[in-house]
Amino acid sequence: DAGVIQSPRHEVTEMGQEVTLRCKPISGHNSLFWYRQTMMRGLELLIYFNNNVPIDDSGMPEDRFSAKMPNASFSTLKIQPSEPRDSAVYFCASSLYRADNEQFFGPGTRLTVL
Amino acid sequence: DQQVKQNSPSLSVQEGRISILNCDYTNSMFDYFLWYKKYPAEGPTFLISISSIKDKNEDGRFTVFLNKSAKHLSLHIVPSQPGDSAVYFCAASDGGSQGNLIFGKGTKLSVKP
């Protein structure tokens, strides 16, 4: 099992550019989560999907952020336009819904917006 | 307001001694608690969990204790090893929110040789 796959691992872009982060969850998992990690806020949940349907996007900071899950094996997180304060590590996680809700994380994408 | 709080951002322990990481929560509906470990440049990985029907769960050097009345849990690592140096996240689940976990901000553990 390859685990959760994220791409790219690192992204450096200029302010105002569009950024797209990608995630492939573990096969068979029915929930997918996008998190952002910063020193100030720790690990913040941005949005999560269950069976490809967005359940809670209250953590999405602004309209500049959007996420899609067109099928069970792929999700994207898009920032348009990007700003320097979006610089962070973005994690994708997936889980097979069960009582303890254990989630499996990808390696993360380190985003730097100049 | 934070539902899961890790009030110590960092902890330093000597190799071979006990490490105790603490976590407090506010939501009495939480019924599962998980600890994750994170190394730099990697995603968090699951370490150990405990159900609210238990007060202790042990896995090798790692033990999690749950005090429901105090809404407090702790992770004990005995003996601590330099390889345990990482950020530890406490997380909680109410079991019914379609897989959602609420994470604390993490505690950075440094184990010195």
Side-chain angles (χ1 to χ4, degrees):
Chain A
D1 190 344
V4 176
I5 299 172
Q6 290 187 248
S7 65
R9 292 296 308 275
H10 302 274
E11 176 81 31
V12 180
T13 190
E14 292 188 345
M15 184 174 64
Q17 296 297 307
E18 177 179 297
V19 175
T20 299
L21 311 181
R22 297 172 176 79
C23 175
K24 177 178 168 54
I26 293 173
S27 177
H29 282 189
N30 53 10
S31 294
L32 183 140
F33 307 81
W34 282 102
Y35 291 90
R36 177 172 69 177
Q37 184 188 18
T38 61
M39 291 293 291
M40 290 297 294
R41 294 175 175 268
L43 202 58
E44 295 178 274
L45 176 68
L46 300 177
I47 185 171
Y48 74 98
F49 297 83
N50 186 256
N51 293 323
N52 311 339
V53 176
I55 302 301
D56 184 356
D57 65 353
S58 60
M60 297 285 262
E62 302 171 29
D63 292 344
R64 298 185 296 107
F65 286 69
S66 62
K68 294 182 180 179
M69 192 165 186
N71 57 61
S73 59
F74 184 66
S75 177
T76 59
L77 177 67
K78 185 177 292 187
I79 308 173
Q80 165 64 18
S82 58
E83 297 183 2
R85 61 191 167 124
D86 301 330
S87 297
V89 181
Y90 291 81
F91 290 103
C92 175
S94 70
S95 71
L96 180 63
Y97 178 55
R98 62 186 198 193
D100 67 0
N101 289 336
E102 180 186 343
Q103 295 177 14
F104 297 80
F105 283 77
T109 295
R110 180 173 292 278
L111 173 65
T112 302
V113 183
L114 303 174
Chain B
D1 61 331
Q2 284 184 270
Q3 295 189 66
V4 177
K5 299 179 184 179
Q6 293 177 258
N7 292 320
S8 298
S10 63
L11 175 68
S12 183
V13 172
Q14 204 68 30
E15 180 179 6
R17 306 296 288 269
I18 184 171
S19 294
I20 300 176
L21 296 99
N22 293 304
C23 179
D24 297 293
Y25 62 96
T26 57
N27 189 342
S28 59
M29 296 301 292
F30 288 148
D31 56 4
Y32 270 97
F33 303 89
L34 301 84
W35 285 94
Y36 279 79
K37 178 178 180 179
K38 184 186 177 306
Y39 291 119
E42 295 182 10
T45 55
F46 171 75
L47 184 60
I48 191 170
S49 66
I50 188 167
S51 162
S52 60
I53 63 173
K54 296 184 176 181
D55 56 15
K56 177 182 175 181
N57 188 25
E58 191 172 353
D59 183 2
R61 296 185 298 112
F62 301 91
T63 303
V64 56
F65 295 93
L66 175 62
N67 183 333
K68 283 188 66 178
S69 60
K71 294 191 178 67
H72 176 83
L73 64 155
S74 60
L75 174 67
H76 292 212
I77 307 173
V78 183
S80 301
Q81 300 174 354
D84 297 328
S85 298
V87 177
Y88 289 79
F89 291 97
C90 171
S93 164
D94 65 9
S97 29
Q98 293 161 295
N100 192 19
L101 289 174
I102 308 299
F103 282 86
K105 290 191 175 182
T107 297
K108 183 177 182 179
L109 174 66
S110 299
V111 181
K112 300 185 184 306

